[in-house]
Amino acid sequence: MKTNRRNFLKNTTLFTFGGMVLPQLSYSNMKKGSLPQKGLQLSFEPYNLQLKHVFTLANSSRSTTPVMLIKIKFEGFTGYGEASMPPYLGETQETAAKFLSRLNLKQFTDPFRLDEILEYVDNSATGNSAAKASVDIALHDLIGKILGQPWHKIWGFSAENSPATSFTIGIDTNEVVKQKVHEASDFSILKVKLGRKNDKEMIETIRSISDVALCVDVNQGWKDKQHALDMVFWLKDKGIEFVEQPMPKEMLDDIAWLTENSPLPIIADEALQRLSDIKATIGAYSGINIKLMKCTGMREAHKMINLARANQMKVMIGCMTETSCAVSAAAQLSPKADWADLDGNLLISNDPYSGMKVINGKITLNNLPGIGINNS
Ligand code: MG
């Protein structure tokens, strides 16, 4: 890869930007014939993630997650991307293959024209947000590799500002919950999945063996606002930091009432997907959970952070069960987040990549260019 970058730098003019030498941000002015003019080459393959534990949410259980791994090649550089498609979100390897095979990325001969390329991708079909995210991630990886810089640096973020990441403890028997808490001893905050009849028992089981910081994700599991408020006060006494999606997203007025009366921040997750959904959450929630697979990728996620901040909302960066590819892409944004829930790669046993590491519970970004991954 270094050789490719040297060749690229040799073949293009350079200019200085903020003290850093960058290759020119457009291919249009390059000397004719210095590089062959070929468009972006997209390829993809389905892959099944094996989960270390059966994963139980308020409404479902599963032991695998289907993903699509993609590559975009351009002038000797390769950008990697991923679409993770947990079944409850409606995308499958088949829908992703259909969406990706219809894209004509060869028409684009300048990967830096992200606006134009991603607008084309977004407009080529509705939905397909994870498949769209896979293209966005691969393009960011490609561009970062051409520039020789990781995205957190291109955006101007300070890596040391990345928060601790939570590690998720699914709904389970007391013995399994205790075992999972022991396994998660490297983490400084745990996310506990609630929303069933044994909510208090789950928390009390963890508190019987650990005083680690906790947050909870109810996944819309509470249906009554007074019960939700009583639970939030009870959770505050147990040292919980915030509550994610306590009630069904449709119950917006009840959620706004809960947020107004809650001693803990109430974070939206299922209630929003993309930039345009933030408007409805303002005033009803204290913050938002941004996930690349829901919002179509890094470029839109960055815009969502800015919009949330402009409305004094808290920001959490989350993920699905994913390989280190998509998790490391999301981690590039983590220096701007209050909380991170980027443990998706740690929940699987067959990660084909290595990238962002969790060290002493904290997201630790590396200096690898692009999204910061290697094929392991
Ligand atoms: Mg959630």
Side-chain angles (χ1 to χ4, degrees):
M1 198 47 65
K2 271 188 177 147
T3 318
N4 289 338
R5 183 170 171 254
R6 267 199 300 276
N7 287 340
F8 173 80
L9 294 175
K10 212 164 60 185
N11 285 327
T12 187
T13 47
L14 299 172
F15 73 101
T16 312
F17 180 76
M20 186 168 67
V21 177
L22 295 175
Q24 207 160 358
L25 292 179
S26 166
Y27 274 66
S28 56
N29 296 329
M30 282 167 42
K31 249 166 96 179
K32 268 195 177 159
S34 60
L35 285 174
Q37 290 296 309
K38 272 200 315 195
L40 302 169
Q41 312 275 327
L42 170 71
S43 61
F44 52 89
E45 60 169 321
Y47 190 73
N48 288 311
L49 305 183
Q50 303 299 324
L51 308 188
K52 289 178 184 169
H53 292 282
V54 173
F55 197 64
T56 304
L57 302 176
N59 304 312
S60 62
S61 295
R62 67 179 198 278
S63 59
T64 62
T65 300
V67 305
M68 192 69 90
L69 301 179
I70 85 157
K71 289 179 193 169
I72 297 180
K73 291 191 177 185
F74 183 77
E75 307 296 3
F77 295 91
T78 303
Y80 293 86
E82 175 183 6
S84 171
M85 297 165 289
Y88 59 91
L89 292 177
E91 288 182 74
T92 63
Q93 288 168 337
E94 289 71 32
T95 63
K98 193 174 160 193
F99 176 82
L100 293 168
S101 56
R102 280 184 183 170
L103 292 179
N104 172 20
L105 293 190
K106 283 185 185 161
Q107 65 181 301
F108 298 106
T109 55
D110 183 350
F112 287 92
R113 297 171 74 135
L114 269 181
D115 258 349
E116 190 180 319
I117 304 168
L118 293 176
E119 217 174 287
Y120 159 76
V121 171
D122 198 15
N123 290 337
S124 50
T126 55
N128 291 284
S129 63
K132 289 173 182 175
S134 72
V135 177
D136 166 284
I137 293 167
L139 278 173
H140 279 81
D141 195 35
L142 179 72
I143 288 170
K145 282 171 174 164
I146 293 172
L147 293 174
Q149 296 293 339
W151 270 93
H152 68 271
K153 285 195 173 179
I154 295 170
W155 278 321
F157 303 160
S158 304
E160 66 274 16
N161 291 344
S162 287
T165 184
S166 53
F167 183 81
T168 300
I169 308 290
I171 295 167
D172 223 312
T173 63
N174 289 354
E175 285 320 298
V176 176
V177 166
K178 283 183 184 175
Q179 183 201 332
K180 287 180 182 173
V181 172
H182 281 302
E183 282 174 18
S185 59
D186 290 345
F187 293 83
S188 53
I189 178 165
L190 302 182
K191 183 194 228 186
V192 187
K193 294 286 191 180
L194 298 185
R196 290 195 176 178
K197 288 205 167 75
N198 65 346
D199 284 353
K200 288 187 177 177
E201 195 184 334
M202 279 278 292
I203 298 296
E204 275 165 347
T205 300
I206 295 169
R207 279 288 173 253
S208 73
I209 58 164
S210 171
D211 58 2
V212 67
L214 298 176
C215 58
V216 306
D217 187 354
V218 189
N219 290 114
Q220 315 186 82
W222 298 334
K223 313 296 181 195
D224 176 78
K225 67 177 182 182
Q226 191 58 52
H227 170 69
L229 188 62
D230 292 346
M231 279 302 296
V232 173
F233 273 100
W234 186 84
L235 290 166
K236 182 170 169 43
D237 282 348
K238 299 290 175 187
I240 276 66
E241 295 197 356
F242 65 88
V243 176
E244 193 177 320
Q245 201 64 53
M247 302 178 70
K249 59 184 178 184
E250 295 78 15
M251 300 177 73
L252 195 61
D253 290 345
D254 289 348
I255 292 168
W257 175 85
L258 177 65
T259 300
E260 203 181 324
N261 293 288
S262 169
L264 298 176
I266 304 293
I267 308 300
D269 183 8
E270 286 87 344
L272 87 164
Q273 296 210 356
R274 302 192 57 172
L275 184 67
S276 55
D277 301 322
I278 291 181
K279 202 175 168 190
T281 68
I282 296 169
Y285 292 87
S286 327
I288 58 169
N289 186 353
I290 299 172
K291 295 176 181 171
L292 299 188
M293 295 304 139
K294 294 196 306 183
C295 78
T296 72
M298 298 166 73
R299 191 164 177 82
E300 185 146 329
H302 188 204
K303 292 176 185 172
M304 290 174 79
I305 291 174
N306 290 337
L307 183 58
R309 289 293 180 217
N311 286 284
Q312 291 80 47
M313 293 180 90
K314 299 273 188 192
V315 170
M316 178 175 182
I317 300 276
C319 63
M320 310 295 172
T321 41
E322 298 166 354
T323 74
S324 286
C325 177
V327 166
S328 299
Q332 299 296 320
L333 290 151
S334 67
K336 300 304 281 182
D338 298 290
W339 303 291
D341 181 27
L342 295 177
D343 62 349
N345 58 329
L346 304 173
L347 303 174
I348 64 172
S349 57
N350 59 342
D351 191 346
Y353 306 105
S354 64
M356 175 277 276
K357 297 270 181 268
V358 177
I359 299 176
N360 296 325
K362 194 169 142 43
I363 290 173
T364 308
L365 294 163
N366 58 47
N367 272 323
L368 292 170
I371 59 171
I373 58 164
N374 276 320
N375 295 57
S376 57

